[in-house]
């Protein structure tokens, strides 16, 4: 099956503009990868990037948080 991809809706209201740089990958509610790396040549070969991989409850909790953000209209399906 193909992944479901969501994008963060940046907020341009008021004086502050928000953005999201982190990339989050959740697999079957069981595994999570959160990283700052861009999947570009420079992002993968030249930049120093950081990320964290975890299994279990943190993945399920992160998925619940993202589902809540989707319901609250912070994310849209790409």
């Amino acid at each position: 099956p193909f992944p479901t991809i969501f994008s963060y809706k940046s907020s341009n209201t008021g004086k502050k503009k928000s953005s999201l740089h982190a990339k989050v990958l959740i697999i079957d509610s069981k595994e999570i990868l959160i990283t700052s790396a861009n999947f570009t040549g420079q992002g993968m070969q030249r930049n120093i990037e950081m990320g964290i991989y975890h299994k279990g409850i943190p993945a399920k909790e992160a998925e619940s948080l993202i589902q809540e953000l989707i319901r609250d209209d912070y994310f849209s399906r790409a």
Side-chain angles (χ1 to χ4, degrees):
F2 291 100
T4 304
I5 300 171
F6 290 90
S7 295
Y8 177 70
K9 292 181 176 182
S10 71
S11 172
N12 294 316
T13 60
K15 295 181 180 180
K16 293 183 178 180
K17 182 178 179 183
S18 63
S19 65
L20 177 68
H21 183 72
K23 288 73 175 173
V24 179
L25 174 66
I26 300 173
I27 303 166
D28 297 332
S29 304
K30 297 176 184 172
E31 299 176 73
I32 186 169
L33 172 65
I34 303 170
T35 183
S36 63
N38 291 319
F39 295 112
T40 63
Q42 185 170 334
M44 300 304 289
Q45 296 176 358
R46 288 181 236 144
N47 292 355
I48 298 172
E49 303 285 354
M50 297 292 269
I52 185 167
Y53 169 80
H54 210 292
K55 290 183 177 183
I57 293 172
K60 184 65 179 168
E61 290 175 346
E63 183 178 51
S64 294
L65 173 62
I66 290 172
Q67 291 297 334
E68 182 177 333
L69 292 170
I70 291 167
R71 282 190 302 273
D72 290 345
D73 206 33
Y74 284 89
F75 290 96
S76 62
R77 194 166 184 163

